Amino acid sequence: MGKDKDIREMFDRISERYDLSNTVMTFGMDRIWRRSLIDLARIRPGMLVLDVGTGTGKLLKQAYKKTENGIGLDVSRSMLKIAKDRIERAYLVEGDATEIPFKTESFDRVVSAFLLRNVPDLTRSLKEQVRVLKRDGIWCGLDTMPTSPQNPYGVLVRFYFRKVVPFVGQWISRDRDAYEYLYLSTMSFKTPQEMKRILKEVGLRDIRQKTFAFGTTIAYYGIKP
Ligand SMILES: C[S@@+](CC[C@H](N)C(=O)[O-])C[C@H]1O[C@@H](n2cnc3c(N)ncnc32)[C@H](O)[C@@H]1O
């Protein structure tokens, strides 16, 4: 079984309780991080926005506060079903972030939250995201990040991810594996330095980053020249 199929099945499985688990595990901070990402993307009325890995549509809902034109893309039908319940007028598409089913240079903004860690081929997905972005368009991505050796809260953060998160995941979602995966995929994900290099490699410029919550979460920003 490939990583992509495993991931889709995992999100299908946890979809019903995904939002509640997220809110509990982040003490409600996830909402603030998504709002910061939308602010970073400087979305203006009329702009066409693509939310990649839209999941239950929380980021897309924030984007709709800025523009009436937004599309959510996701591989998990169950997650999309919840997004549809959340935003009745949402335009949602079932599809893969490594093979985005839209024309080149069609979006003013491409955003994502907690997707990047999950795609089977990060560079390929980012190239696709940059391909569908218009010139001078802004790309923004939010995700968890591995704790750096310099992080004074590193021990605490790792303990929280490794022990508390799977416990809460088991308690709320009845799916410990999915939340052990959250720890493993976070700690093995790209460092900010590696991400910066990849974002440059896929053609983004003016790359910036902003960290949240004791260096556990990070927003990346770049412009397509
Ligand atoms: C951790 S959830 C994040 C959902 C949402 N963006 C949020 O902020 O809560 C990751 C989402 O990415 C989707 N996903 C994972 N791999 C994907 C891929 N290759 N293409 C599109 N969506 C994908 C999953 O189905 C899931 O809905």
Side-chain angles (χ1 to χ4, degrees):
M1 199 185 285
K3 179 184 171 187
D4 39 356
K5 188 162 178 252
D6 287 345
I7 297 283
R8 192 186 61 229
E9 286 176 355
M10 181 183 78
F11 283 106
D12 277 342
R13 227 169 45 227
I14 62 170
S15 57
E16 290 287 332
R17 310 234 104 199
Y18 172 82
D19 285 334
L20 179 62
S21 308
N22 242 358
T23 305
V24 172
M25 281 168 194
T26 66
F27 305 100
M29 297 294 286
D30 60 322
R31 184 185 164 84
I32 295 167
W33 303 333
R34 287 192 194 86
R35 200 185 312 139
S36 298
L37 190 84
I38 293 298
D39 287 345
L40 208 58
R42 299 204 305 271
I43 299 167
R44 291 192 297 275
M47 282 185 167
L48 182 59
V49 179
L50 176 65
D51 175 19
V52 193
T54 194
T56 58
K58 280 191 161 179
L59 187 69
L60 189 62
K61 190 168 179 186
Q62 299 260 3
Y64 275 128
K65 290 183 181 160
K66 308 273 180 189
T67 179
E68 61 283 11
N69 302 322
I71 298 180
L73 178 80
D74 204 287
V75 279
S76 162
R77 197 171 290 182
S78 310
M79 293 291 266
L80 287 175
K81 196 169 164 294
I82 295 168
K84 192 70 201 165
D85 292 341
R86 167 164 285 126
I87 329 163
E88 207 187 319
R89 68 199 166 104
Y91 190 78
L92 301 166
V93 175
E94 193 179 325
D96 200 316
T98 57
E99 220 167 309
I100 298 180
F102 296 109
K103 282 191 193 145
T104 299
E105 295 184 3
S106 34
F107 293 90
D108 299 288
R109 301 289 185 260
V110 173
V111 296
S112 70
F114 309 110
L115 162 86
L116 302 172
R117 220 173 357 99
N118 297 300
V119 291
D121 185 337
L122 177 64
T123 303
R124 182 168 166 186
S125 173
L126 287 171
K127 279 186 178 161
E128 275 292 272
Q129 294 179 43
V130 173
R131 178 184 66 76
V132 298
L133 185 61
K134 288 181 188 168
R135 288 184 185 279
D136 295 325
I138 294 176
W139 173 92
C140 282
L142 178 78
D143 217 317
T144 51
M145 64 182 256
T147 44
S148 87
Q150 288 80 35
N151 187 337
Y153 306 102
V155 174
L156 208 66
V157 166
R158 275 191 295 276
F159 174 81
Y160 185 74
F161 265 99
R162 193 151 53 94
K163 298 286 181 202
V164 182
V165 164
F167 175 78
V168 177
Q170 163 68 24
W171 171 49
I172 297 177
S173 298
R174 302 262 167 266
D175 198 319
R176 195 180 174 90
D177 287 356
Y179 292 91
E180 271 170 359
Y181 162 79
L182 172 59
Y183 167 70
L184 293 172
S185 60
T186 296
M187 294 308 157
S188 60
F189 192 50
K190 308 291 178 204
T191 62
Q193 294 72 25
E194 289 168 333
M195 269 305 282
K196 263 186 156 175
R197 183 184 50 73
I198 297 170
L199 293 174
K200 255 191 195 163
E201 205 177 280
V202 299
L204 293 171
R205 295 294 172 262
D206 193 16
I207 295 154
R208 292 178 224 169
Q209 64 195 51
K210 184 177 176 186
T211 52
F212 305 95
F214 308 112
T216 55
T217 303
I218 187 162
Y220 293 102
Y221 163 105
I223 295 187
K224 178 171 174 175

